Structures are given as C-alpha cells and as structure tokens.
C-alpha cells in the first residue's frame, strides 16, 4: 500500500528525516512514536505530499507520490487527519462531514450512505449533526475529524496525535474504532507521543529519533522492550 524508501527530508538546512524506510500493507496498523521534534509530523506530511522529499521515495500502490498532487493523493485514498483536527467551527457537523466527500462526485444517496457509516463508527455525531463543529467537545471534534477523513473511503488513514488533550475514556473509544477499521482492511499510520497507548492498539511500531528509525517491530514486543524507554525518552 505505502512503501517508504530511504526517505530524507531537509527543512531550512536541518535534516528532519534521515533514511526512513518501511512498508505498510492493507489492514496493517502501524504506530509511529518518538519524542518532541523526532520528525513524526514531518513523516506524515511528506507521505501526504505536503513536504518536498530531498532524497529517497514514497510509493502509494507502487506509484511514486512525487507524480501525484496532494489533493489527488487524498482522492485516491491517502487521508491525513492532522494534529489539531482542523474542524470548521462555523459549519454544522453534517457540513463538516460533507467537506470530506467534496469533489468525489458522489450522488446524494452515496453521500447519505457514507454519513450513516460514520454514525456506526461514532454514534454521538448523529446526535450532534446540526450543531456547529466548533461547539463540540474536544473528543467529539476528534471523532468528527476522523469521520470526515473516512467519508473519502480511504485505503490509508494517517492520524497525528489524536489523543492530545482528550479524556482517557474517549481516547480508548477512538483507539478501539481505529483497531476495528484496520481489521476491516484500512491501513493506518498512527503518530502518538503517548507511546504505551499506541503500542497497545497497533500491530507494528517504529520509533523515530532525530529523524531516524531507532527501533521497528511488533508493537507487543516493543512494549516489553527495556530499550524502548531509553530510545523513546532521550
Ligand atoms: N516548517 C518547518 N520549518 C522549520 N523547522 C521545521 C519545520 N517543520 C519541522 N521542522 C523541524 O523538524 C523537526 C521535526 O519536527 P516534527 O514536527 O516533524 O516533529 P514531531 O515528531 O512531530 O514533534 P512533536 O511531537 O512536537 O509534534 C523539529 O526540529 C522541527 O523544528
Ligand atoms: Mg508532531
């Protein structure tokens, strides 16, 4: 699905990503963990085509993303739920969801089917449908941001710190939904600073440190690894 090959990214002469390589298959749930400034957000933004690659390559379904514009990449199934959610505060929950389906050329029936599917994942959104996105709680806004991404029927869903600032119960609900979606075939890249949480729900994980992968493997193994804390915290 996604193949990242020896990816290097420089921003203002700083080497932000340095030789990052990994594969992501259909239905795989990959966690990317690492301290502040490790390059996690830059990795997602680069895969989305928002940050230029210095050297190396990223492939989506065997096509180099450098040949695809970011909006085309999103339309073909690579969706990025950014840190901070970016809900449009003045628009209703329903209209925020519709934004996810813009330019897909869906019929009204198809849009309604997509919206109903989001209610199955996040029932609270049905109750909030006509209120302004900006008046939702943080957890509801995060659910809306994910649902808006799912409106595009993605093949790959990338999330940047979805747990930030949310109550533990809501975080668990979101993680369980993500796990279910991956079991249904969605490939997921989850960026998290809360390493334990990400490792508990994902299958595979990579640890980034100063733009390099310092550890990669099964999440369960990493969870029990004595090196993790040293690698992750320092
Ligand atoms: N647009 C930019 N201009 C200058 N420096 C940048 C830019 N984007 C990223 N960087 C630098 O690249 C490094 C990695 O940043 P990035 O945001 O990818 O890290 P992160 O792992 O997501 O951190 P955090 O956990 O704080 O979100 C940081 O040192 C950051 O200052
Ligand atoms: Mg970040």
């Amino acid at each position: 699905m996604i193949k990242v090959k020896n990816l290097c990214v420089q921003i203002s002469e700083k080497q932000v990503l340095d030789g990052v390589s990994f594969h992501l298959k259909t239905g795989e749930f990959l966690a990317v963990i690492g301290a502040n400034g490790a390059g996690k957000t830059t990795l997602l933004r680069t895969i989305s085509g928002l940050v230029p690659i210095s050297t190396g390559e990223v492939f989506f379904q065997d096509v180099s993303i450098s040949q695809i514009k970011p909006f085309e990449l999103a339309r073909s199934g690579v969706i990025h739920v950014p840190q901070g959610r970016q809900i449009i505060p003045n628009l209703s929950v329903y209209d925020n969801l519709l934004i996810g389906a813009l330019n897909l050329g869906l019929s009204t029936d198809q849009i309604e089917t997509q919206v109903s599917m989001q209610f199955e994942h996040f029932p609270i959104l049905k109750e909030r449908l006509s209120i302004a996105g900006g008046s939702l709680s943080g957890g509801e806004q995060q659910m809306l941001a994910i649902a808006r991404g799912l409106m595009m029927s993605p093949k790959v869903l990338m999330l940047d710190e979805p747990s930030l600032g949310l109550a533990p119960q809501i975080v668990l609900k979101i993680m369980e939904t993500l796990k279910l979606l991956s079991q249904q075939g969605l490939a997921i890249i989850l960026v998290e600073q809360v390493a334990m949480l990400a490792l508990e729900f994902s299958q595979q994980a990579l640890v980034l440190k100063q733009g390099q992968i310092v550890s990669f493997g099964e999440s369960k193994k990493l969870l029990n690894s004595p090196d993790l804390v040293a690698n992750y915290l320092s």
Side-chain angles (χ1 to χ4, degrees), residues 11-12 14 16 34-43 83 161 193:
I11 301 177
S12 318
K14 184 183 156 112
V16 178
N36 273 334
K40 306 180 298 294
T41 296
T42 304
L43 176 62
Q83 189 172 338
E161 311 231 13
Q193 277 215 41

Side-chain angles (χ1 to χ4, degrees), residues 67-125:
Q67 294 165 29
I68 316 174
K69 295 195 173 74
F71 74 92
E72 285 170 346
L73 196 62
R75 209 158 49 183
S76 23
V78 180
I79 291 294
H80 182 169
V81 179
Q83 189 172 338
R85 298 144 201 162
Q86 297 183 9
I87 295 303
I88 300 182
N90 303 332
L91 290 186
S92 68
V93 167
Y94 184 74
D95 286 342
N96 267 284
L97 285 175
L98 288 197
I99 285 173
L102 270 186
N103 300 324
L104 285 183
L106 299 183
S107 68
T108 313
D109 280 357
Q110 285 169 323
I111 288 176
E112 289 312 315
T113 306
Q114 286 286 7
V115 171
S116 305
M117 278 167 62
Q118 306 323 316
F119 298 156
E120 282 173 31
H121 300 311
F122 304 111
I124 190 74
L125 296 180

Side-chain angles (χ1 to χ4, degrees), residues 9-233:
V9 169
Q10 273 191 340
I11 301 177
S12 318
E13 294 184 17
K14 184 183 156 112
Q15 192 77 34
V16 178
L17 294 176
D18 188 3
V20 171
S21 299
F22 65 90
H23 291 194
L24 181 76
K25 297 193 189 112
T26 304
E28 212 163 40
F29 191 157
L30 173 75
V32 175
I33 55 181
N36 273 334
K40 306 180 298 294
T41 296
T42 304
L43 176 62
L44 294 195
R45 287 177 54 78
T46 309
I47 296 172
S48 295
L50 299 170
V51 170
I53 293 170
S54 305
T55 59
E57 219 155 4
V58 177
F59 297 91
F60 169 56
Q61 294 182 322
D62 295 325
V63 178
S64 169
I65 62 148
S66 58
Q67 294 165 29
I68 316 174
K69 295 195 173 74
F71 74 92
E72 285 170 346
L73 196 62
R75 209 158 49 183
S76 23
V78 180
I79 291 294
H80 182 169
V81 179
Q83 189 172 338
R85 298 144 201 162
Q86 297 183 9
I87 295 303
I88 300 182
N90 303 332
L91 290 186
S92 68
V93 167
Y94 184 74
D95 286 342
N96 267 284
L97 285 175
L98 288 197
I99 285 173
L102 270 186
N103 300 324
L104 285 183
L106 299 183
S107 68
T108 313
D109 280 357
Q110 285 169 323
I111 288 176
E112 289 312 315
T113 306
Q114 286 286 7
V115 171
S116 305
M117 278 167 62
Q118 306 323 316
F119 298 156
E120 282 173 31
H121 300 311
F122 304 111
I124 190 74
L125 296 180
K126 189 171 185 180
E127 292 170 33
R128 303 279 191 266
L129 204 57
S130 53
I131 71 170
S135 53
L136 298 179
S137 70
E140 290 165 353
Q141 287 194 16
Q142 186 61 63
M143 292 180 196
L144 177 56
I146 296 171
R148 180 179 58 189
L150 294 174
M151 287 288 290
M152 295 191 80
S153 308
K155 298 185 174 76
V156 179
L157 186 69
M158 303 193 290
L159 304 106
D160 199 347
E161 311 231 13
S163 78
L164 205 68
L166 304 187
Q169 250 183 331
I170 309 239
V171 172
L172 281 184
K173 157 77 187 126
I174 289 173
M175 291 297 155
E176 275 158 14
T177 305
L178 293 178
K179 194 169 175 178
L180 186 71
L181 287 162
S182 83
Q183 285 163 350
Q184 293 169 352
L186 181 64
I188 295 179
I189 304 180
L190 170 68
V191 159
E192 262 297 347
Q193 277 215 41
V194 188
M196 298 305 162
L197 179 77
L199 292 176
E200 201 179 312
F201 284 89
S202 59
Q203 293 168 318
Q204 306 277 327
L206 64 82
V207 184
L208 270 186
K209 188 175 177 182
Q210 292 171 5
Q212 296 185 339
I213 297 181
V214 290
S215 194
F216 181 86
E218 264 180 58
S219 301
K220 279 205 182 76
K221 283 191 186 152
L222 272 174
L223 201 52
N224 298 318
S225 152
D227 297 337
L228 175 69
V229 172
N231 277 335
Y232 169 62
L233 290 177

